[in-house]
């Protein structure tokens, strides 16, 4: 399930930056992966990478009734209810922006921070036979770290690297249990005659 959140985050970054090569990859491998994707082993900058750094169950937010018994998500035409079990999780990401100058990195971060401040909402399609969507939000943490000294020189000078962390704290692990709904119809006129 968590990889579906990864895909939604990556697709949003690809969409807003117009770069189909953005993927979940550790920053140490970013240059190698980007070179492999290129036809001529040339790396174009800025180079932007995402990495999922971990996730955790948010036990203090678990609704025990929803996670154990579930809640009805939908009822089909044949009287089957989809019971949705949900456990809240937090997913953490690291975003690295590699540029050939500091001004470019600052500008990229300015644009990204404003974008996600105004449009934090993303959507993921829940599988397991539910075919329903779950809305979640992606937020930047406060600090942007300059990691320029951790990267090596390239042919045309120093490579600058800024790192920020992002998170979603309204993601969920989902499970689905189909339940049959038994319906009973009562003929009210017959019931009244019996009562008389």
């Amino acid at each position: 399930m968590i990889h579906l959140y990864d895909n939604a985050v990556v697709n949003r970054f690809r969409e807003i930056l117009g770069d189909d090569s953005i993927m979940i990859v550790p920053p140490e491998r970013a240059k190698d992966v980007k070179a492999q994707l290129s036809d001529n082993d040339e790396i174009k900058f800025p180079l932007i990478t995402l990495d999922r750094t971990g996730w955790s169950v948010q036990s203090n937010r678990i609704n025990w009734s929803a996670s154990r018994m579930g809640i009805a998500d939908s009822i089909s035409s044949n009287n089957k209810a989809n019971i949705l079990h949900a456990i809240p999780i937090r997913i953490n990401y690291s975003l690295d922006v590699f540029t050939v100058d500091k001004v470019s990195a600052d500008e990229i971060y300015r644009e990204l921070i404003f974008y996600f401040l105004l449009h934090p909402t993303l959507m993921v399609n829940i599988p397991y036979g539910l075919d329903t969507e779950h809305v979640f939000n992606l937020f930047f943490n406060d600090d942007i770290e300059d990691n320029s000294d951790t990267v090596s020189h390239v042919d045309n000078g120093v490579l600058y690297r800024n790192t920020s962390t992002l998170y979603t704290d309204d993601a969920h692990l989902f499970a689905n249990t189909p339940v049959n709904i038994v319906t009973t119809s009562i003929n009210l006129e017959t019931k009244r005659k019996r009562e008389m």
Side-chain angles (χ1 to χ4, degrees):
M1 177 77 216
I2 297 168
H3 71 280
L4 299 175
Y5 289 100
D6 294 350
N7 293 342
V9 171
V10 167
N11 288 337
R12 178 57 53 87
F13 273 95
R14 287 178 178 175
E15 176 188 320
I16 62 177
L17 295 168
D19 185 353
D20 286 341
S21 67
I22 293 174
M23 64 184 70
I24 297 277
V25 62
E28 300 79 35
R29 295 202 49 237
K31 290 184 287 180
D32 297 334
V33 171
K34 188 82 167 189
Q36 289 171 0
L37 293 173
S38 172
D39 293 335
N40 54 8
D41 287 342
E42 184 178 284
I43 302 173
K44 293 183 181 176
F45 292 95
L47 171 60
I48 298 170
T49 67
L50 279 162
D51 189 23
R52 184 189 344 133
T53 57
W55 63 278
S56 58
V57 174
Q58 295 187 301
S59 12
N60 61 333
R61 289 186 45 218
I62 291 178
N63 176 334
W64 292 105
S65 175
S67 60
R68 289 184 181 164
M69 296 171 56
I71 53 172
D73 176 64
S74 62
I75 298 175
S76 64
S77 58
N78 62 353
N79 287 334
K80 268 204 171 194
N82 283 317
I83 300 300
L84 186 62
H85 301 268
I87 297 174
I89 61 172
R90 176 185 169 112
I91 307 173
N92 299 305
Y93 296 96
S94 177
L95 175 73
D96 285 275
V97 176
F98 296 85
T99 59
V100 293
D101 62 79
K102 282 187 177 280
V103 174
S104 299
D106 292 344
E107 286 300 304
I108 289 169
Y109 267 107
R110 181 184 62 82
E111 292 288 337
L112 289 174
I113 290 168
F114 267 106
Y115 179 87
F116 281 102
L117 182 69
L118 299 173
H119 310 286
T121 305
L122 289 86
M123 203 169 296
V124 65
N125 191 37
I126 304 170
Y128 316 116
L130 290 172
D131 194 30
T132 188
E133 293 177 330
H134 171 64
V135 173
F136 69 101
N137 296 292
L138 188 68
F139 302 104
F140 273 84
N141 282 313
D142 294 340
D143 295 331
I144 312 293
E145 189 175 343
D146 186 347
N147 284 320
S148 301
D149 58 341
T150 65
V151 294
S152 59
H153 284 69
V154 290
D155 295 339
N156 58 349
V158 176
L159 191 59
Y160 295 93
R161 172 184 167 198
N162 285 345
T163 305
S164 62
T165 53
L166 302 96
Y167 69 94
T168 177
D169 59 0
D170 49 10
H172 287 83
L173 297 178
F174 290 104
N176 172 25
T177 307
V179 173
N180 282 321
I181 296 176
V182 179
T183 57
T184 306
S185 55
I186 299 172
N187 185 319
L188 293 178
E189 189 175 320
T190 308
K191 185 180 177 190
R192 279 190 212 117
K193 285 180 184 175
R194 281 189 205 151
E195 290 173 354
M196 293 181 160

